[in-house]
Amino acid sequence: MRALLPLLLCTLAFSPAAARITESFAPASSLHGYVLGRAAYAGDALDDAAVFFQSANAQDPGNPALMSRAFELAVAAGDQKKSVALARQLAAAGKADGNVAVIQMVDAVLRKDWSAAEATSKGFADAGYGTLVTPILQGWLLFSRGRTDAALAKLDPARFSGFARSYVAEQRAHMLSAAKRWPEAAEAYQSLRASAPVGISFLRQGEADALAQAGDRTRAMAVLEGDDPPTQAARERLAAGKRIGALAPDARRALAWMAARLSADLARERPVPLALLFA
């Protein structure tokens, strides 16, 4: 009990009302870092909790529970560098799961390492989101390697059902635009807008850009009706003779749209860890 007293006092110090830790504070042991991490997490200090669990993991690197917890908190805190490093450690230790594979996939795509990105897709094939993420990733990997027709065939909405179909249809519209197939892209965006919930304004920008690039500036301006700032900005650019810009001209930005939409949909009812992962 005497040995635990300092740890308990530290736990009390990290109540929600307490001041946040300073960077100079270093846990004395892995147990110390674990207790402080739990206390910081309870106080919604995710950045501090991630630091403490990372410290605990560094002092006890063979502990899979600490490694996994440090990874989860690095993701929740939005620390990309730590998330990637811990994902590699977990994979090397044979403790990778679908969430680890997603972080590794993101890292590979950002580095444009298409072979590594393809390899990671096997890691989340069994996850609930694998049936959605895998074909979209594979489609953009084909596109990035110059195999546009094969990529578009992979993203054929007719091959999917339920909520996955709308995700794939959106990605196909992005890909048609990235491939400079303007009339097809404009038609794909228009079809998406017809079935999308009210307020999805970014699809207007995609359609208007495709129409303008196809030479139909009149229809492009007509599409850009709305008072929201992005639509107004797009309308002003077009009126000034500038290009609006494609929503997703490459795999990185297309997959970013997918991740953002997944995050928003998963958090629609309440925030969940999976939503933070894709965010």
Side-chain angles (χ1 to χ4, degrees), residues 241-263:
K242 301 176 181 178
R243 183 181 174 185
I244 298 170
L247 291 173
D250 55 41
R252 291 179 297 173
R253 279 174 276 193
L255 291 168
W257 278 109
M258 177 197 71
R261 181 177 170 187
L262 266 171
S263 179

Side-chain angles (χ1 to χ4, degrees), residues 26-275:
S29 66
S30 61
L31 177 60
H32 191 190
Y34 174 81
V35 172
L36 292 177
R38 288 293 299 269
Y41 179 77
D44 291 330
L46 294 182
D47 290 341
D48 295 342
V51 169
F52 284 137
F53 273 102
Q54 174 74 354
S55 175
N57 178 54
Q59 295 185 64
D60 188 6
N63 189 321
L66 286 176
M67 197 184 306
S68 295
R69 191 61 170 155
F71 169 75
E72 292 167 1
L73 284 167
V75 169
D79 192 325
Q80 182 179 340
K81 185 176 179 180
K82 283 182 183 175
S83 298
V84 170
L86 287 163
R88 289 174 180 163
Q89 288 182 36
L90 285 165
K95 301 296 182 181
D97 58 12
N99 293 354
V100 169
V102 168
I103 294 299
Q104 289 185 301
M105 180 266 286
V106 169
D107 177 54
V109 169
L110 288 174
R111 292 186 288 105
K112 297 185 179 180
D113 187 340
W114 309 128
S115 295
E118 186 170 22
T120 64
S121 66
K122 300 174 184 177
F124 48 76
D126 295 332
Y129 48 79
T131 55
L132 170 63
V133 175
T134 300
I136 291 175
L137 171 62
Q138 291 175 344
W140 281 103
L141 292 177
L142 287 168
F143 182 85
S144 299
R145 290 164 171 161
R147 300 178 59 190
T148 302
D149 289 340
L152 288 167
K154 178 73 70 173
L155 297 184
D156 180 359
R159 298 175 55 220
F160 298 85
S161 60
F163 74 95
R165 177 175 289 186
S166 66
Y167 274 84
V168 170
E170 182 182 315
Q171 291 293 315
R172 182 181 176 85
H174 294 330
M175 188 175 288
L176 286 167
S177 178
K180 297 181 171 56
R181 292 165 62 163
W182 309 121
E184 293 175 80
E187 183 179 353
Y189 279 123
Q190 195 282 327
S191 179
L192 280 168
R193 282 205 306 121
S195 59
V198 176
I200 307 298
S201 63
F202 70 88
L203 295 174
R204 293 179 182 274
Q205 299 157 47
E207 182 182 352
D209 181 67
L211 285 169
Q213 290 301 109
D216 195 342
R217 290 174 54 84
T218 301
R219 281 183 63 198
M221 286 297 289
V223 167
L224 295 173
E225 295 179 354
D227 299 330
D228 57 285
T231 299
Q232 287 183 356
R235 189 166 58 239
E236 290 170 3
R237 285 187 64 82
L238 191 59
K242 301 176 181 178
R243 183 181 174 185
I244 298 170
L247 291 173
D250 55 41
R252 291 179 297 173
R253 279 174 276 193
L255 291 168
W257 278 109
M258 177 197 71
R261 181 177 170 187
L262 266 171
S263 179
D265 286 347
L266 288 166
R268 196 172 302 280
E269 297 298 327
R270 61 185 178 84
V272 294
L274 194 56

